[in-house]
């Protein structure tokens, strides 16, 4: 057998594999002998079928199978030994003169080669956000906690801090929905005033247009679609069924211990510090994701290299479950080119800087993820064996294992970028971060 490689250019090559009869004949003979031992042919005892008959019936099919096995094994071995960094998979070249009746064969494969390039981590300055929990946010969360752990009191008449439960009706629009809302959520003094002093059994007529400060609240309360809620302009009748008020929980040790069973909070100051710490930990995850996105965009934009475009488009035609037309493959390439470029950049950064993940690290990462999930359900101290068992089950699922591995890689890359890149750091509130990065109001 002889394998040679010829470079077409820096990004494309042809590998030629020459196979002669001596390379595969012994294996073919062994398979045919095994067939002979088990073949059942009328007129012959089992194991006594003439070899000529076995060859005539099975010889060509066995030879083709063994040549293909040998071809695949030798090609894979060649790519590994030559340390060829290829994109996609080798594509066989069609040879119209090829015949399986010959005793020696020549096969040619097209290769798409990964480009060589350098990565400049500081080609441009990327913006990094430091999201801080504002006093306003902390105070709002303290109030939310007091309300959440507060006591619900039934009222005889509506007042400013009360909530109303009742059924909204509009026959024309098919609205018949029971809902609860706070009087303070209503838009405008006139609407809120209708419920001050209202009693159970009262029927109040309201205009749906701009009834609530947030149009999404109207959607939930009336049970209409998102689009309807924004344009709905009808009268609805609300029959008041309940009037309640939440008496906020006291900020005392009993409440602190409900929130933090380990006794780590003993006063309001410590409670606010905990809220700030927990909030900023969650904000950091979002800031890190935004940073990774921004770095990705910057590296792709500032790292220049060519790709074996025509080869990849040809490879995409047969790479998926469904074969694509040439036009579909071109469109798919254009959609995936940016992602491929970043994969190559990421791979080079990880290789050049020895960033890698071993299985033990992945297990520990999975266990940390599991502990966080269990803590949400009140299990703060799971046993190590339980964590190991759950982690083992999760990582036995290839899709879950890949997802966790990608998360861990992203985490390592973010740490690497923070240590090796120069950023334009901006301190912002969470609301300003959402507005600036996603152009969305955080309160919507």
């Amino acid at each position: 057998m002889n394998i040679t490689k010829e470079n077409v250019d820096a990004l494309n090559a042809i590998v030629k594999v020459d196979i002669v009869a001596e390379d595969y004949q012994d294996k073919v003979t062994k398979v045919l002998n095994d067939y002979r031992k088990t073949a059942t042919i009328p007129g012959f005892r089992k194991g006594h079928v003439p070899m000529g008959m076995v060859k005539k019936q099975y010889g060509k099919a066995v030879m083709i199978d063994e040549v293909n096995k040998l071809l695949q094994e030798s090609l894979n071995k060649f790519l590994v030994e030559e340390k060829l960094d290829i994109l996609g998979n080798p594509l066989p070249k069609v040879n119209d003169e090829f015949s399986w009746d010959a005793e020696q064969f020549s096969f040619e494969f097209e290769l798409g080669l990964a480009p060589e390039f350098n990565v400049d981590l500081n080609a441009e300055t990327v913006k990094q956000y430091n999201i801080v929990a504002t006093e306003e946010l902390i105070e709002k969360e303290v109030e939310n906690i007091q309300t959440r752990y507060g006591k619900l009191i039934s009222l005889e008449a509506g007042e400013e801090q009360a909530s109303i439960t009742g059924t909204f009706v509009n026959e024309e629009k098919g609205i018949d929905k029971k809902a609860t809302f706070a009087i303070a959520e209503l838009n405008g003094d006139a609407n809120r005033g209708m419920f001050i002093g209202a009693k159970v059994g009262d029927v109040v007529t309201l205009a749906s247009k701009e009834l609530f400060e947030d149009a999404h609240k109207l959607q939930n309360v009336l049970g209409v679609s998102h689009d309807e809620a924004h344009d709905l302009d009808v009268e609805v009748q609300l029959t008041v069924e309940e009037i309640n008020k939440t008496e906020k929980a006291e900020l005392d040790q009993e409440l602190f211990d409900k929130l933090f069973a380990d006794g780590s909070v003993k006063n309001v100051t410590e409670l606010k510090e905990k809220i700030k710490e927990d909030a900023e930990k969650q904000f950091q995850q979002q800031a890190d994701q935004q940073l990774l996105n921004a770095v990705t965009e910057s590296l792709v934009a500032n790292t220049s290299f060519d790709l074996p475009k025509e080869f990849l488009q040809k490879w995409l035609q047969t790479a998926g479950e469904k074969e694509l037309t040439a036009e579909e493959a071109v469109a798919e390439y254009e959609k995936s080119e940016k992602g491929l470029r970043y994969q190559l950049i990421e791979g080079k950064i990880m290789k050049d800087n020895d960033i890698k993940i071993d299985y033990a690290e992945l297990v520990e990462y999975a266990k940390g993820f599991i502990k966080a999930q269990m803590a949400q359900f009140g299990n703060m101290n799971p046993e190590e064996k339980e964590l190991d068992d759950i982690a083992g089950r999760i990582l036995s699922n290839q899709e879950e294992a890949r997802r966790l591995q990608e998360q861990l890689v992203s985490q390592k890359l973010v740490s690497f970028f923070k240590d090796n890149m120069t950023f334009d750091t901006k301190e912002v509130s969470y609301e300003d971060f959402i507005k600036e990065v996603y152009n969305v109001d955080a309160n919507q």
Side-chain angles (χ1 to χ4, degrees):
M1 184 191 313
N2 186 41
I3 304 180
T4 57
K5 177 175 76 73
E6 178 186 346
N7 288 332
V8 177
D9 54 39
L11 298 173
N12 295 274
I14 300 291
V15 169
K16 185 178 181 183
V17 183
D18 294 320
I19 297 176
V20 296
E22 289 81 359
D23 297 322
Y24 60 83
Q25 196 59 62
D26 287 347
K27 290 184 179 179
V28 171
T29 301
K30 181 179 183 305
V31 172
L32 291 176
N33 279 328
D34 290 341
Y35 275 19
R36 185 176 178 233
K37 294 173 186 176
T38 58
T40 303
I41 296 178
F44 298 95
R45 286 185 296 134
K46 191 173 183 179
H48 291 271
V49 179
M51 178 55 81
M53 187 173 288
V54 173
K55 281 185 178 180
K56 185 176 180 180
Q57 189 165 351
Y58 302 109
K60 190 170 185 179
V62 170
M63 181 269 290
I64 292 172
D65 187 46
E66 290 303 321
V67 169
N68 279 323
K69 285 181 186 176
L70 180 62
L71 177 62
Q72 195 59 54
E73 289 169 4
S74 57
L75 180 60
N76 290 340
K77 184 179 178 183
F78 177 79
L79 295 177
V80 171
E81 289 178 347
E82 294 294 313
K83 298 180 180 177
L84 294 177
D85 192 0
I86 65 171
L87 302 179
N89 292 315
L91 289 178
K93 290 190 72 175
V94 176
N95 179 0
D96 293 331
E97 297 180 1
F98 181 85
S99 172
W100 283 110
D101 292 327
E103 287 197 350
Q104 62 181 47
F105 310 100
S106 288
F107 302 91
E108 289 187 339
F109 294 87
E110 297 178 61
L111 301 182
L113 306 178
E116 293 186 4
F117 57 90
N118 294 314
V119 179
D120 182 358
L121 293 173
N122 291 298
E124 71 172 336
T125 302
V126 174
K127 183 170 285 187
Q128 178 184 30
Y129 290 92
N130 178 27
I131 310 174
V132 296
T134 61
E135 273 300 318
E136 182 183 359
L137 182 145
I138 295 169
E139 290 293 343
K140 189 174 180 180
E141 183 55 25
V142 170
E143 189 174 334
N144 287 340
I145 289 170
Q146 287 183 277
T147 302
R148 217 160 47 237
Y149 287 86
K151 181 180 177 183
L152 197 64
I153 300 171
S154 180
L155 300 176
E156 290 186 1
E159 55 185 65
E160 286 185 7
Q161 302 305 315
S163 62
I164 303 292
T165 297
T167 300
F168 288 89
V169 174
N170 178 287
E171 292 183 5
E172 180 188 349
K173 292 292 183 181
I175 296 170
D176 188 352
K177 178 79 163 41
K178 184 173 181 177
T180 299
F181 61 92
I183 292 175
E185 291 178 300
L186 292 165
N187 189 24
D189 292 339
N191 285 325
R192 290 190 290 270
M194 290 185 184
F195 293 95
I196 305 301
K199 294 181 171 53
V200 171
D202 286 356
V203 177
V204 181
T205 299
L206 300 159
S208 65
K209 188 174 178 62
E210 298 180 353
L211 180 58
F212 291 95
E213 291 279 357
D214 182 2
H216 297 98
K217 180 68 177 180
L218 184 70
Q219 175 187 351
N220 295 330
V221 164
L222 298 186
V224 295
S225 71
H226 180 273
D227 291 340
E228 283 181 303
H230 281 280
D231 299 319
L232 193 64
D233 187 5
V234 297
E235 284 191 345
V236 290
Q237 281 71 48
L238 170 67
T239 302
V240 178
E241 296 169 15
E242 292 180 35
I243 305 171
N244 297 304
K245 178 181 179 180
T246 300
E247 186 178 89
K248 292 180 182 177
E250 292 292 329
L251 294 172
D252 55 19
Q253 195 61 48
E254 182 181 354
L255 176 61
F256 301 151
D257 289 343
K258 284 180 183 176
L259 296 169
F260 304 97
D262 59 358
S264 58
V265 172
K266 294 186 168 38
N267 53 55
V268 175
T269 300
E270 290 178 352
L271 173 63
K272 289 182 177 181
E273 287 172 356
K274 275 281 190 184
I275 292 171
K276 180 178 175 65
E277 179 186 338
D278 291 346
E280 291 183 351
K281 192 179 293 183
Q282 292 181 38
F283 296 159
Q284 189 61 54
Q285 293 176 2
Q286 293 191 54
D288 283 349
Q289 184 58 57
Q290 185 280 329
L291 181 66
L292 185 59
N293 293 343
V295 169
T296 298
E297 292 287 338
S298 175
L299 290 176
V300 170
N302 292 285
T303 306
S304 179
F305 53 83
D306 292 326
L307 290 169
K309 182 177 178 180
E310 291 182 6
F311 169 84
L312 289 170
Q313 289 173 354
K314 191 187 298 185
W315 171 70
L316 283 169
Q317 285 186 258
T318 56
E321 292 181 8
K322 177 188 172 185
E323 188 165 334
L324 304 179
T325 65
E327 292 76 15
E328 289 172 333
V330 168
E332 184 63 28
Y333 174 79
E334 289 173 354
K335 282 195 300 183
S336 59
E337 181 183 359
K338 187 175 178 180
L340 173 58
R341 286 182 176 277
Y342 182 67
Q343 283 180 17
L344 292 170
I345 293 168
E346 180 185 280
K348 181 169 177 60
I349 290 171
M350 293 182 70
K351 181 180 178 182
D352 290 351
N353 297 279
D354 198 29
I355 301 171
K356 50 193 173 186
I357 293 172
D358 59 34
Y359 186 73
E361 279 183 294
L362 189 57
V363 170
E364 287 305 310
Y365 181 76
K367 285 162 66 173
F369 176 79
I370 295 161
K371 284 178 73 173
Q373 292 288 311
M374 295 174 81
Q376 292 181 10
F377 295 95
N379 188 352
M380 307 302 291
N381 295 297
E383 292 185 3
E384 199 66 21
K385 185 180 184 309
E386 183 180 14
L387 291 172
D388 286 332
D389 290 345
I390 297 173
R393 287 199 298 273
I394 290 175
L395 294 177
S396 67
N397 181 313
Q398 288 188 348
E399 190 174 328
E400 282 296 313
R402 184 173 64 252
R403 183 178 64 82
L404 289 172
Q405 184 170 328
E406 288 172 355
Q407 290 178 2
L408 183 52
V409 167
S410 294
Q411 195 178 89
K412 286 199 166 194
L413 284 171
V414 167
S415 296
F416 172 78
F417 293 144
K418 285 181 178 180
D419 291 339
N420 292 276
M421 294 180 70
T422 302
F423 298 104
D424 173 17
T425 304
K426 183 176 182 180
E427 187 172 286
V428 292
S429 67
Y430 179 69
E431 289 76 12
D432 288 342
F433 171 77
I434 295 296
K435 192 180 297 182
E436 187 166 327
V437 174
Y438 303 106
N439 197 29
V440 172
D441 187 339
N443 295 313
Q444 287 185 348

